[in-house]
Amino acid sequence: MSRSFDPVQLGSIELFCKAAELGSFTAAAEALGVTPAAVSRAIGRIEERLGVRLFVRSTRRMRLTDDGQLYHEQCRQALAQIEEAERAITGHQMVPAGVLRISVPTTYGHSRVMPLLPAFRARYPAVSVEVEVSNRNIDFVEQGFDLAIRLGAPPDSRLVARKLEDASMGVFASPDYLSRHGEPRTLDELQQHTSAQFVRPSTGRVMPWVFRRDGADIELQLDSPVRVLEDVLGCVSFARAGGGLVQIYHFVVAEQLARGELVEVLKPYAGRSRPFSILYPHNRHLSARVRAFVDFMLQAVAT
């Protein structure tokens, strides 16, 4: 049997129905936790695929065309049937199953999520997992993700955030680099050293280094000839090769520290951390597989 619809098409239909119900792209976006632009693009894709106009828009109001009214009625009934089918299934589903789509940043993906996946799969073998390991922003509805793990508090209040941990940070260098350039003893000496600076994709700015001095939290912006974009693990590789200093989470470099490939410096100024949270839209029904993964990650990281 050929596949007639993909997750993007079904998501677009949901956005169309909500816009038709509320009579506004903006209201539909707020109700479903996306941007008005995402609603407009979704409806544009449907109109292009069908070759008809679904809405008549003016400066003061928006209404369905005759074709739009017919399409809305059929889609509304279809979505209601799908929702009823899912309620029937999840109501009886004792064992989590199906495909779980997750978006995770490179640091957390490589060092936390991927190493824990074998244990999760062993506990829930009926769940298939698709993991996107990248630092790009995502749209839950348009791209069909169930969960995301991100650094810091989410800027969008329409997302539920469950904190996984406050990840402690440190400054690290290879023994070879320290033998050639010496070990920095104070924060004022940092500018005399080469460091790998990470440019955050969300802002396009270099991420500041964070420290605690005399009980006060401080941030430093360091000048460096080395900047890494997209994947912060490139900073770690640079430091391991003897290129300079890197500030990163302890859990990322735990193995390199154990093997002696990296050494922590500036320990008197440590003590800062950054929070990682697991996110999902607050208005989305949580399937058994999503609840299982959230509970599993909270327990696994805590222990």
Side-chain angles (χ1 to χ4, degrees), residues 138-176:
I138 66 164
D139 187 306
F140 280 94
V141 174
E142 281 206 337
Q143 297 168 311
F145 284 100
D146 298 297
L147 299 165
I149 294 175
R150 289 294 181 266
L151 171 66
D156 193 338
S157 61
R158 293 165 294 190
L159 296 176
V160 175
R162 301 282 303 277
K163 183 184 284 190
L164 290 168
E165 63 179 306
D166 286 309
S168 62
M169 307 193 70
V171 177
F172 308 93
S174 71
D176 173 64

Side-chain angles (χ1 to χ4, degrees), residues 17-291:
C17 286
K18 184 60 70 173
E21 173 189 338
L22 300 178
S24 165
F25 287 6
T26 300
E30 291 176 351
L32 293 177
V34 298
T35 63
V39 177
S40 180
R41 288 194 301 269
I43 292 173
R45 284 194 296 266
I46 297 176
E47 291 179 330
E48 182 179 0
R49 188 174 72 251
L50 298 178
V52 300
R53 292 185 65 188
L54 299 174
F55 290 97
V56 176
R57 306 168 183 86
S58 68
T59 56
R60 291 188 298 175
R61 62 190 298 265
M62 182 181 76
R63 64 176 179 84
L64 288 167
T65 63
D66 291 342
D67 288 328
Q69 289 178 345
L70 176 62
Y71 190 65
H72 174 244
E73 181 60 27
Q74 297 296 322
C75 288
R76 186 185 62 80
Q77 294 178 14
L79 290 177
Q81 291 175 344
I82 292 173
E83 186 177 353
E84 181 61 31
E86 290 189 345
R87 277 199 299 266
I89 292 172
T90 56
H92 293 90
Q93 181 177 299
M94 302 302 294
V95 179
V99 179
L100 181 68
R101 299 197 70 225
I102 312 167
S103 172
V104 297
T106 52
T107 48
Y108 221 81
H110 288 289
S111 301
R112 282 283 199 254
V113 175
M114 301 311 294
L116 290 171
L117 270 188
F120 176 77
R121 289 275 300 115
R123 186 178 301 180
Y124 304 107
V127 178
S128 300
V129 185
E130 294 181 4
V131 186
E132 179 187 87
V133 183
S134 77
N135 296 304
R136 72 182 182 93
N137 294 325
I138 66 164
D139 187 306
F140 280 94
V141 174
E142 281 206 337
Q143 297 168 311
F145 284 100
D146 298 297
L147 299 165
I149 294 175
R150 289 294 181 266
L151 171 66
D156 193 338
S157 61
R158 293 165 294 190
L159 296 176
V160 175
R162 301 282 303 277
K163 183 184 284 190
L164 290 168
E165 63 179 306
D166 286 309
S168 62
M169 307 193 70
V171 177
F172 308 93
S174 71
D176 173 64
Y177 175 85
L178 296 176
S179 68
R180 288 183 287 111
H181 298 278
E183 178 179 339
R185 302 293 181 179
T186 68
L187 299 186
D188 294 335
E189 295 178 13
L190 272 176
Q191 202 58 64
Q192 303 170 18
H193 289 263
T194 301
S195 59
Q197 300 295 312
F198 179 61
V199 179
R200 294 194 67 173
S202 59
T203 63
R205 300 176 181 176
V206 170
M207 180 176 285
W209 284 22
V210 294
F211 300 94
R212 183 164 290 148
R213 180 170 57 188
D214 298 328
D217 292 342
I218 62 173
E219 295 185 354
L220 294 180
Q221 291 283 1
L222 302 177
D223 293 327
S224 175
V226 180
R227 295 188 177 189
V228 177
L229 286 69
E230 299 297 336
D231 190 350
V232 69
L233 296 182
C235 297
V236 179
S237 298
F238 176 78
R240 288 178 60 195
L245 307 175
V246 60
Q247 185 176 69
I248 197 68
Y249 310 102
H250 283 93
F251 72 78
V252 171
V253 295
E255 294 184 2
Q256 291 89 340
L257 288 171
R259 293 194 296 262
E261 297 172 357
L262 290 175
V263 176
E264 184 171 3
V265 299
L266 295 171
K267 287 184 178 181
Y269 303 96
R272 293 293 297 276
S273 63
R274 289 192 171 113
F276 282 90
S277 299
I278 191 164
L279 313 176
Y280 52 86
H282 73 81
N283 58 343
R284 178 170 295 182
H285 170 73
L286 291 186
S287 66
R289 59 183 175 272
V290 171
R291 290 195 302 271

Side-chain angles (χ1 to χ4, degrees), residues 291-303:
R291 290 195 302 271
F293 186 80
V294 171
D295 292 342
F296 173 84
M297 285 298 301
L298 290 171
Q299 180 183 22
V301 173
T303 57

